[in-house]
């Protein structure tokens, strides 16, 4: 089954494409982690079972075993890859596939039916029979499974849904549209064509120049130019070089890289392989946290499939170029997202950053020159090589070309995985794609998570028109980061938000340098004092002083940017800090130590419900008379306020 030349690859692409298009319908059940957790694999199994019961031709794989009778001249060898693919093209059954993440996680489990492009939301196992009977056999649309907006307008087709309409998918191009576990389907949509072009039509310097001309910047942090990094590795005289893919996505609320590894693992491998061709590296590693078992499984399956047909390993496509890929699983240490800590972990050492220089491009993995990019960066490589830098530069502003994937979460109506052109505004993302703020008015957005210090809190309407690109965010003291985007409404306490992220960063500090190890601990103590009512104005001055010191002296990016949550919230929400330390009040009502519940005697009817609900008997009073709350007994759980039918407790 080995593919030995670019001509054979092109021939197989045509055959597999015909096989894919020959399927009358394709049912794509979302098999990303979110939908799997919602039961999508049970839906897949039930659909397969129902089609078997009804005798409906069901193809769970694009490639099938060859029949005894094949067209003469179809292929010289009956058991070859081309023969099997051409035989599959003769079938006209229903394709049933486990796809990658469709993105609209708020509405999962999701099911797409092609070629119509129908998208069914919140699908249950009990819906499967109706889907088969009506949508598959009768071409009918099941209205109750179709997305409706707030005006109750229905959107049967995926591309018409507002959530998808303003998106442009490059890195996520095939995620949710093909079988995530099939190398044949990836080849059918043009997979590995960019590798063929890189090997036989371009020089290593030409590849680097194309990536540089496209202005592809790293999607995992500060946006360092990928072409510049590759050029530095290409210039190194060492014979042994490495390509490392950073899949250690540890930011709270982020799941972009995970979805790409799960949904289009061959796209990741193809990008790594092209990086190897460009820099003369023959060994690749993908560093994935062990908390991503589905991503690890899909990547391992993709490596085995690509190796089996000669797209990885020795003499790829008969070019004489060798490239192997291994998976290294991390133990969940957030600091291992930093380059030198990551390579140290792969080597079997404790994941801790080191002093630089030398940089990773000079001495990285095993002290050899190393290309280190994250998953999303590698997923952008193949389309750039195939379509050219000029095409890529049609998206996004100058020096910020292409698209960016975001994990849109928090207090927003449409949570999920999105990809938009660089330069798209926050307003478009939150209100047009995200469907607006849920549970209150817009207050803040956290961009990029603490990875690389990419936390931006914005309080004003002006920030809603901020463009999401590297340079625009840098101007307001933020970074685009890996792409986690958490929306917060006006019920969020920004002091508590800062304390939460400082607690996260402090727990994840590797402890190697004093500023990060001790400084973040002191900052966390000060923030805890403020949220528990012990803060003073001196606490605010000390927080700012510590933030400046840590940023200036910490060893790695984790420490240097650990104070960003505090600095940004103190800048944009200083009035909330003042309320906490001077008035001893939490304006958002989230800091329990600063909450005091009182009963309004004018509204209280003496129904006694609050007294009966209170778990510590802190409420007393006679029936039909106003009650009172003993503040010394009250544990501030809020049960009384929630249960009062007369809204007498505030």
């Amino acid at each position: 089954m080995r593919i030995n030349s670019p001509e054979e690859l092109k021939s197989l692409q045509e055959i597999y494409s015909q096989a894919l298009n020959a399927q009358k319908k394709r049912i794509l059940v979302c098999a990303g982690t979110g939908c799997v957790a919602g039961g999508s694999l049970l839906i897949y199994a039930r659909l397969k079972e129902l089609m078997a019961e009804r005798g409906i031709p069901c193809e769970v794989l694009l490639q099938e075993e060859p029949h005894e009778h094949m067209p003469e001249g179809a292929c010289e060898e009956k058991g070859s890859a081309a023969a099997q693919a051409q035989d599959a093209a003769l079938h006209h059954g229903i394709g049933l596939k486990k796809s990658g993440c469709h993105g609209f996680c708020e509405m999962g489990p999701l099911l797409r039916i092609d070629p119509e492009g129908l998208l069914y939301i919140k699908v249950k196992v009990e819906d499967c029979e109706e889907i088969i009977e009506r949508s598959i056999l009768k071409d009918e649309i099941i209205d109750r499974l179709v997305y409706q907006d707030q005006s109750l307008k229905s959107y049967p087709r995926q591309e018409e849904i507002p959530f998808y309409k303003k998106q442009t998918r490059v890195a996520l191009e095939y995620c949710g549209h093909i079988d995530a576990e099939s190398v044949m389907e990836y080849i059918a949509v043009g997979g590995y064509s960019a590798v063929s072009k890189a090997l036989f039509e371009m020089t290593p310097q030409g590849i680097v120049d194309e990536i540089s001309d496209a202005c592809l910047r790293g999607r995992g942090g500060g946006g360092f130019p990928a072409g510049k990094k590759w050029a530095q590795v290409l210039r190194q005289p060492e014979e042994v070089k490495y390509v490392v893919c950073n899949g250690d996505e540890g930011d709270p609320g982020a799941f972009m890289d995970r979805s790409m590894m799960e949904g289009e693992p061959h796209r990741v491998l193809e990008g790594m392989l092209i990086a190897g061709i460009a820099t003369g590296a023959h060994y690749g590693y993908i560093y994935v946290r062990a908390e991503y078992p589905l991503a690890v499984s899909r990547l391992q399956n993709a490596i085995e499939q690509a190796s089996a047909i000669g797209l990885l390993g020795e003499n790829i496509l008969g070019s004489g170029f060798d490239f192997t890929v291994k998976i290294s699983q991390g133990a969940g240490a957030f600091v291992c997202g930093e380059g030198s800590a990551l390579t140290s972990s792969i080597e079997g050492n404790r994941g801790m950053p080191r002093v630089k220089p030398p940089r990773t491009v000079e001495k990285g993995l095993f002290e050899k020159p190393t290309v280190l990019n994250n998953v999303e960066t590698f997923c952008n490589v193949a389309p750039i090589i195939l379509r050219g830098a000029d095409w890529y530069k049609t998206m996004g502003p100058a020096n910020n070309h292409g698209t960016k994937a975001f994990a849109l979460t928090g207090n927003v109506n449409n949570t999920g995985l999105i990809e938009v052109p660089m330069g798209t505004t926050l307003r478009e993302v939150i209100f047009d794609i995200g469907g607006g703020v849920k549970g209150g008015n817009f207050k803040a957005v956290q961009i990029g998570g603490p990875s690389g210090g990419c936390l931006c809190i914005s309080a004003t309407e002006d920030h809603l028109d901020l463009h999401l690109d590297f340079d625009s965010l840098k101007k307001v003291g933020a970074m685009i980061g890996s792409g986690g985007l958490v929306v917060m409404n006006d019920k969020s306490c920004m002091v508590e938000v800062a304390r939460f992220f400082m607690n996260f960063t402090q727990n994840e500090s590797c402890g190697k340098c004093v500023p990060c190890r001790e400084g973040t601990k002191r900052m966390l103590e000060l923030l805890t004092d403020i949220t528990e009512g012990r803060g003073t104005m001196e606490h605010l001055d000390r927080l700012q002083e510590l933030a400046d010191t840590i940023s200036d002296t910490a060893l790695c990016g984790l420490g240097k940017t650990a104070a960003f949550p505090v600095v940004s919230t103190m800048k944009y929400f200083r009035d909330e800090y003042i309320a906490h330390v001077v008035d001893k009040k939490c304006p958002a009502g989230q800091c329990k130590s600063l909450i005091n519940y009182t009963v309004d005697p004018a509204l209280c009817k003496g129904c006694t419900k609050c007294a009966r609900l209170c778990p510590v008997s802190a409420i007393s009073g006679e029936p039909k008379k106003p009650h009172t709350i003993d503040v010394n007994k009250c544990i501030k759980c809020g049960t009384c306020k929630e249960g009062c039918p007369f809204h007498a407790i505030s």
Side-chain angles (χ1 to χ4, degrees), residues 140-167:
E140 296 177 357
I141 296 174
I142 305 172
D143 293 333
R144 62 183 177 80
L145 296 179
V146 168
Y147 172 76
Q148 290 184 330
D149 62 17
Q150 294 179 347
S151 67
L152 301 183
K153 180 181 178 180
S154 295
Y155 296 88
R157 288 167 180 79
Q158 179 173 333
E159 284 70 26
E160 297 173 351
I161 299 174
F163 177 82
Y164 292 99
K165 206 161 189 178
K166 283 203 170 183
Q167 294 191 48

Side-chain angles (χ1 to χ4, degrees), residues 49 114 142 150 163 197 219 231 236 243 298 306 316 331 419 459 462 512 520 558 572 642:
E49 180 183 24
D114 279 335
I142 305 172
Q150 294 179 347
F163 177 82
K197 182 177 180 180
R219 296 312 199 243
Q236 300 302 316
V243 175
R298 296 257 172 90
I316 296 170
E419 186 176 359
D462 291 340
K512 185 173 183 177
T520 56
L558 173 64
Y572 295 116
E642 294 174 4

Side-chain angles (χ1 to χ4, degrees), residues 27-135:
I27 307 173
L28 294 144
V29 180
C30 179
T33 293
C35 285
V36 167
S40 64
L41 295 185
L42 297 176
I43 294 167
Y44 175 89
R46 180 58 178 157
L47 288 169
K48 184 178 178 183
E49 180 183 24
L50 287 169
M51 284 192 275
E53 290 176 358
R54 287 160 174 72
I56 300 172
C58 174
E59 297 180 11
V60 296
L61 295 173
L62 180 62
Q63 176 184 324
E64 295 188 356
E65 290 299 321
H67 289 175
E68 292 182 4
H69 303 290
M70 293 188 63
E72 291 185 8
C75 188
E76 292 181 2
E77 295 184 34
K78 184 177 178 182
S80 70
Q84 294 184 37
Q86 190 153 354
D87 184 65
L90 300 176
H91 291 43
H92 301 280
I94 306 298
L96 179 61
K97 310 169 193 301
K98 299 175 190 173
S99 76
C101 178
H102 292 246
F104 208 178
C105 304
E106 178 78 16
M107 298 297 167
L110 300 166
L111 184 149
R112 178 183 169 102
I113 300 176
D114 279 335
E116 294 86 350
L118 295 179
L119 185 71
Y120 286 154
I121 64 171
K122 298 183 178 180
V123 179
K124 299 180 177 63
V125 173
E126 48 267 33
D127 297 323
C128 293
E129 191 161 357
E130 187 176 3
I131 290 171
I132 294 296
E133 294 295 333
R134 295 183 58 189
S135 295

Side-chain angles (χ1 to χ4, degrees), residues 442-460:
F442 170 77
K443 184 174 185 177
V445 60
Q446 173 237 331
I447 302 174
S451 176
C454 312
L455 186 79
C456 174
I457 305 289
S458 58
T460 67

Side-chain angles (χ1 to χ4, degrees), residues 143-216:
D143 293 333
R144 62 183 177 80
L145 296 179
V146 168
Y147 172 76
Q148 290 184 330
D149 62 17
Q150 294 179 347
S151 67
L152 301 183
K153 180 181 178 180
S154 295
Y155 296 88
R157 288 167 180 79
Q158 179 173 333
E159 284 70 26
E160 297 173 351
I161 299 174
F163 177 82
Y164 292 99
K165 206 161 189 178
K166 283 203 170 183
Q167 294 191 48
T168 300
R169 296 201 161 198
V170 176
L172 291 165
E173 184 175 5
Y174 301 125
C175 202
H177 293 276
I178 61 173
D179 187 338
E181 299 177 345
S182 171
V183 67
M184 301 309 174
E185 290 209 11
Y186 184 66
I187 290 174
V189 295
Y192 292 103
S193 294
V195 168
S196 178
K197 182 177 180 180
L199 282 171
F200 296 95
E201 300 177 34
M202 303 177 75
T203 64
Q205 186 62 54
I207 299 170
V208 172
D209 291 343
E210 195 73 26
I211 297 298
S212 298
D213 189 32
C215 296
L216 174 63

Side-chain angles (χ1 to χ4, degrees), residues 603 605 607-610 612-613 640-649:
L603 296 176
K605 307 299 182 183
C607 70
T608 75
K609 184 176 181 180
C610 59
R612 287 181 277 117
L613 289 173
C640 57
K641 185 177 185 296
E642 294 174 4
C644 179
F646 304 103
H647 306 289
I649 300 176

Side-chain angles (χ1 to χ4, degrees), residues 219-357:
R219 296 312 199 243
F224 189 84
K228 185 175 182 180
K229 186 179 293 187
W230 291 20
Q232 291 171 327
V233 175
L234 175 60
R235 288 197 298 266
Q236 300 302 316
E238 295 268 8
E239 289 187 11
V240 177
K241 301 175 184 179
Y242 293 94
V243 175
V244 175
C245 177
N246 184 352
D248 189 63
E249 185 178 49
D251 300 357
F255 50 89
M256 303 77 57
D257 288 352
R258 185 196 73 196
S259 298
M260 293 176 198
M261 290 185 287
E262 292 174 356
E264 45 186 18
H266 287 284
R267 192 69 172 265
V268 181
L269 296 180
E270 186 170 14
M272 292 179 67
L273 180 48
I274 292 169
I277 298 166
T279 59
H282 298 284
Y283 308 97
Y285 281 86
I286 307 176
Y287 189 84
V288 191
R289 53 182 44 223
E291 294 96 326
Y292 285 179
L294 187 56
V296 172
S297 173
R298 296 257 172 90
L299 284 169
Q300 188 59 50
N301 176 65
I303 291 171
E304 292 172 0
Q305 288 181 336
S307 299
I309 58 177
L311 292 172
L312 282 179
E314 297 180 356
N315 194 25
I316 296 170
L317 294 179
S319 65
F321 183 81
D322 305 337
F323 193 77
T324 58
V325 178
K326 294 182 180 179
I327 297 173
S328 179
Q329 295 188 50
F334 181 68
V335 73
C336 286
E338 193 274 341
S340 60
L342 184 152
T343 54
S344 179
S345 179
I346 294 176
E347 292 166 359
N349 303 313
R350 182 178 178 184
M352 300 177 77
R354 59 169 172 78
V355 178
K356 306 170 192 67

Side-chain angles (χ1 to χ4, degrees), residues 620-640:
S620 60
E622 297 180 15
K624 299 184 180 181
K625 292 183 179 180
H627 284 42
T628 58
I629 299 175
D630 186 341
V631 294
N632 294 318
K633 287 185 178 180
C634 178
I635 60 172
K636 304 174 182 179
C637 64
T639 304
C640 57

